[in-house]
């Protein structure tokens, strides 16, 4: 398999193994093993009532739901057909905006570099390694800033927080200090696994949304619906409005829209129970 190839491609893996797709256990993806929660399954079933009508052009209902959750203007949110679509959108608009290069903090999701390469951006791979026992947040901040010393102003930096597969995590206060130390950079923070680190107030930058940040969120991992394809990004209003205009209408289908609203409006104890279950493993 090519190094940039994704996990989750059961047809290809089955062909390589000479087995039926349903006979394989796929350990190449990090998705909640219990599958999607019941409240989300019900929302997807109810969405069947809406498949005869076009969904809202840019998932406006989800934008409003996110605005209520985070106390931000709805225009700060951009929803797409999975975070992967938004990663490629970002790479294209960064190139158009004249960003000098994209720095990827490794180890990282291969799609960051792949998308930037396809867009014609120079990619710099900066190896941060795996956070060692005993390393403090301050140690990690120093290491990251040292890695970025030669990255020019106006560059974009891709950083997963929490990191996958490293597991490195900077709490919001420390992450904000990192962004403030290099305000000349555009920081793209992938929070795909943030829900596992705790509620948003202790795991996410969204409630404080720095001006030089683009935050990515996904329903794939914590809510186990990679097949639905739903992700969103959060950034400053003018930037989000401009980038949202680069997406085709109806990129978020009726099922993905229903899933987004169900997750954002969920008041059950699902998230707390899932974190507890994960911590006991």
């Amino acid at each position: 398999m090519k190094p940039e190839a994704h996990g989750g491609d059961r047809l290809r893996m089955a062909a390589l193994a000479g087995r039926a797709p349903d006979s394989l256990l796929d350990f190449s993806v990090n998705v909640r093993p219990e599958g999607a929660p019941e409240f989300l399954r019900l929302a997807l079933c109810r969405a069947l009532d809406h498949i005869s009508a076009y969904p809202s052009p840019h998932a406006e209902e989800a934008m409003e739901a996110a605005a209520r959750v985070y106390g931000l203007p709805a225009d700060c949110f951009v929803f797409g057909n999975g975070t992967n679509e938004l990663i490629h959108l970002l790479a294209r608009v960064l190139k158009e905006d004249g960003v000098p290069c994209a720095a990827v903090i490794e180890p990282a999701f291969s799609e960051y570099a792949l998308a930037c390469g396809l867009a014609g951006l120079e990619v710099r791979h900066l190896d941060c390694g795996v956070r060692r026992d005993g390393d403090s947040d301050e140690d990690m901040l120093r290491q990251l800033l040292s890695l970025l010393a030669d990255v020019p102003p106006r560059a974009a930096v891709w950083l997963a927080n929490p990191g996958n597969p490293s597991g490195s995590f900077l709490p919001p206060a420390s992450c904000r200090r990192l962004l403030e130390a290099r305000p000349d950079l555009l920081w793209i923070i992938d929070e795909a696994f943030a829900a596992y680190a705790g509620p948003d107030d202790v795991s996410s930058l969204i409630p404080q949304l720095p001006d030089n940040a683009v935050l990515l969120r996904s329903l794939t991992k914590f809510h186990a619906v990679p097949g639905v394809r739903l992700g969103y990004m959060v950034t400053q209003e003018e930037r989000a409005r401009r980038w949202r205009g680069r997406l085709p209408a109806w990129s978020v289908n009726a099922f993905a829209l229903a899933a987004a609203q169900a997750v954002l409006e969920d008041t059950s104890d699902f998230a707390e129970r899932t974190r507890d279950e994960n911590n006991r493993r």
Side-chain angles (χ1 to χ4, degrees), residues 8-202:
D9 189 342
R10 292 199 303 163
L11 287 178
R12 178 166 55 176
M13 289 187 290
L16 289 171
R19 302 284 297 274
D22 289 342
S23 72
L24 300 178
L25 290 175
D26 185 2
F27 292 100
S28 66
V29 294
N30 295 308
V31 175
R32 182 176 185 267
E34 297 86 354
E38 187 65 19
F39 79 86
L40 189 43
R41 293 175 180 269
L42 291 173
L44 293 172
C45 289
R46 287 193 292 268
L48 284 167
D49 293 335
H50 304 289
I51 62 174
S52 60
Y54 281 96
S56 298
H58 294 292
E60 281 80 359
E61 295 93 335
M63 290 168 58
E64 293 292 343
R68 289 191 293 272
V69 170
Y70 293 109
L72 294 169
D75 269 349
C76 290
F77 298 89
V78 182
F79 283 79
N81 187 326
T83 307
N84 202 43
E85 178 181 57
L86 301 177
I87 290 170
H88 282 262
L89 168 68
L90 280 168
R92 294 194 302 272
V93 297
L94 292 173
K95 176 64 175 177
E96 292 167 5
D97 288 348
V99 168
C101 67
V104 179
I105 306 298
E106 301 281 2
F109 184 31
S110 62
E111 204 73 14
Y112 308 150
L114 177 62
C116 290
L118 289 172
L121 273 173
E122 176 196 343
V123 179
R124 301 188 186 184
H125 298 272
L126 307 179
D127 187 8
C128 189
V130 177
R131 188 168 181 173
R132 299 163 298 183
D133 290 342
D135 283 354
S136 66
D137 293 344
E138 198 67 34
D139 293 330
M140 190 173 175
L141 285 173
R142 281 195 295 268
Q143 182 182 9
L144 287 169
L145 290 173
S146 176
L147 287 172
L148 293 164
D150 295 328
V151 174
R154 299 187 61 251
V157 179
W158 298 79
L159 172 67
N161 191 46
N164 175 34
S166 70
S168 298
F169 175 66
L170 278 174
S174 297
C175 195
R176 186 172 183 106
R177 285 181 57 205
L178 179 65
L179 274 60
E180 289 172 345
R182 286 297 305 268
D184 56 324
L185 301 175
L186 180 65
W187 293 83
I188 303 169
I189 311 294
D190 189 344
E191 295 187 346
F193 291 93
Y196 279 109
D200 287 321
D201 60 337
V202 299

